[in-house]
């Protein structure tokens, strides 16, 4: 099986801080692959590299065998890497539907002028996109809120819109940065189940950055652990839970050989 995403020796520095330091791992298609690690470990920086916001100083990133290391963010999006942000970046005054349609702009053929003139081709195209937006909203239980301004939804609802907007770009790989941060236990379980539906029904591979260990351990196929910009472990949830280096990183102490 060839990997959907491969990182090799990825490095990002901010002044003296090595936010990423030789990060190497790969993501298999059809999996939920989580990246975990203490605060400041480099997780968000990693997603920024993958989506083309930051450039790696060294190393290489391949998506579907294509070198995307120095590709611009919009091209990476068009290749099929969609992203939801750690802090909600939606237009609160606009409706859920409008926000999801914004997510589809990169896919639309009709230009600004054709749309503005309401040419038949543009109207037809918009209808097809609207149908798809309804389908995606349905997967995330957002259909009843399509006409509501995003700002009127609950916090959990808004986080779901953020995921839906990333999915509206029809990504093959969905990057999620702390999708359940600030949610209660019930909402977390609910979002976990929605992510599994997304994985299975929409054929999307998920790269998940998340602090909630219960969620990470229950839904991940594979986990990569970062600490101070370095990848210190890579494996299935059970192995990660028992890895002394991982336990040490979270406790802020050097790894010991003891296991609980
Ligand atoms: N734009 C930036 N300018 C300067 N330093 C930065 C920038 N972005 C991140 N850093 C630094 O890089 C390191 C990694 O940060 P990053 O945000 O990737 O961590 P993280 O793992 O996402 O943390 P958290 O779990 O708190 O979200 C930190 O030391 C951070 O202060
Ligand atoms: Mg972060």
């Amino acid at each position: 099986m060839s990997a959907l995403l491969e990182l090799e020796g990825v490095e990002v520095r901010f002044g003296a801080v090595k936010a990423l330091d030789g990060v190497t791992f790969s993501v298999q298609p059809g999996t939920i692959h989580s990246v975990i690690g203490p605060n400041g470990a480099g997780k968000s920086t990693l997603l920024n590299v993958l989506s083309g916001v930051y450039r790696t100083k060294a190393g290489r990133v391949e998506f579907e065998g294509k070198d995307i290391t120095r590709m611009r963010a919009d091209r990476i999006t068009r290749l099929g890497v969609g992203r939801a942000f750690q802090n909600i970046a939606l237009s609160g005054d606009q409706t859920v539907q409008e926000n999801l349609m914004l997510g589809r702009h990169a896919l639309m053929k009709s230009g600004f002028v054709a749309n503005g003139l309401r040419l038949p081709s543009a109207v037809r195209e918009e209808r097809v996109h609207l149908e798809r937006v309804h389908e995606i909203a349905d997967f995330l239980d957002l259909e009843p809120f399509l006409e509501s301004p995003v700002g009127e939804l609950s916090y959990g609802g808004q986080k779901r819109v953020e995921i839906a907007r990333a999915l509206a770009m029809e990504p093959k790989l969905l990057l999620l940065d702390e999708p359940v941060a600030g949610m209660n236990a019930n909402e977390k379980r609910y979002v976990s189940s929605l992510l599994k539906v997304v994985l299975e029904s929409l054929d999307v591979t998920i790269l998940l950055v998340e602090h909630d260990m219960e969620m990470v351990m229950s839904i991940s196929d594979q986990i990569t652990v970062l600490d101070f910009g370095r990848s210190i472990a890579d494996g299935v949830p059970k192995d990660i839970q028992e890895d002394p280096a991982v336990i040490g990183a979270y406790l802020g102490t050097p790894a010991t050989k003891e296991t609980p």
Side-chain angles (χ1 to χ4, degrees):
M1 188 165 48
S2 67
L4 181 66
L5 180 75
E6 271 186 84
L7 294 86
E8 205 193 299
V10 169
E11 190 180 318
V12 174
R13 283 180 203 220
F14 298 107
V17 176
K18 273 193 179 173
L20 294 174
D21 188 4
V23 172
T24 299
F25 70 94
S26 58
V27 176
Q28 301 303 324
T31 62
I32 296 183
H33 189 124
S34 293
V35 175
I36 64 171
N39 292 115
K43 305 179 297 295
S44 296
T45 303
L46 180 76
L47 295 191
N48 277 323
V49 168
L50 298 180
S51 52
V53 178
Y54 295 159
R55 294 263 159 87
T56 170
K57 255 177 75 83
R60 190 176 163 88
V61 185
E62 279 189 9
F63 178 68
E64 291 192 306
K66 271 190 219 80
D67 186 354
I68 62 164
T69 319
R70 276 165 237 300
M71 213 176 259
R72 275 184 10 212
D74 58 328
R75 286 197 57 205
I76 295 177
T77 304
R78 262 182 277 129
L79 277 183
V81 180
R83 168 162 198 201
F85 286 86
Q86 182 169 5
N87 300 309
I88 292 171
L90 300 160
S91 318
D93 298 340
Q94 290 186 303
T95 65
V96 171
Q97 179 169 301
E98 284 164 341
N99 271 279
L100 300 193
M101 286 298 275
L102 276 176
R104 292 193 79 76
H105 265 157
L107 305 169
M108 293 197 187
K109 287 199 202 75
S110 313
F112 180 71
V113 174
N115 268 317
L117 296 174
R118 309 293 300 156
L119 295 182
S121 62
V123 173
R124 244 188 336 267
E125 194 188 2
E126 180 163 301
R127 199 180 308 130
V128 172
H129 282 291
L130 263 178
E131 273 170 27
R132 184 61 176 157
V133 158
H134 278 254
E135 270 173 35
I136 290 165
D138 196 30
F139 276 117
L140 291 164
D141 292 343
L142 287 167
E143 184 92 59
F145 307 109
L146 277 170
E147 302 298 331
S148 311
V150 171
E152 286 179 11
L153 268 65
S154 68
Y155 176 77
Q158 293 188 27
K159 295 285 271 187
R160 277 183 358 251
V161 176
E162 182 58 52
I163 297 171
R165 189 175 63 167
L167 286 172
M169 300 182 241
E170 304 291 348
K172 295 170 194 155
L173 176 66
L174 176 64
L175 309 177
L176 295 176
D177 201 349
E178 302 195 26
V180 303
M183 289 187 185
N184 66 37
N186 278 338
E187 287 175 319
K188 284 177 180 174
R189 272 193 288 275
Y190 173 55
V191 172
S192 294
S193 65
L194 291 179
L195 291 184
K196 281 191 185 149
V197 171
V198 164
L199 180 83
E200 282 153 24
S201 314
L202 291 175
D203 199 18
V204 175
T205 300
I206 297 175
L207 185 61
L208 172 71
V209 167
E210 185 48 65
H211 279 292
D212 188 273
M213 285 306 132
E214 195 186 320
M215 174 182 184
V216 166
M217 294 303 164
S218 67
I219 70 169
S220 307
D221 296 294
Q222 188 81 12
I223 300 174
T224 299
V225 187
L226 297 184
D227 189 29
F228 292 111
R230 287 168 171 267
S231 161
I232 59 164
D234 206 323
V236 298
K238 190 174 170 300
D239 294 342
I240 295 298
Q241 269 169 319
E242 292 168 357
D243 190 313
V246 177
I247 296 166
Y250 275 95
L251 295 177
T253 52
T256 63
K257 290 237 171 329
E258 287 165 48
T259 43

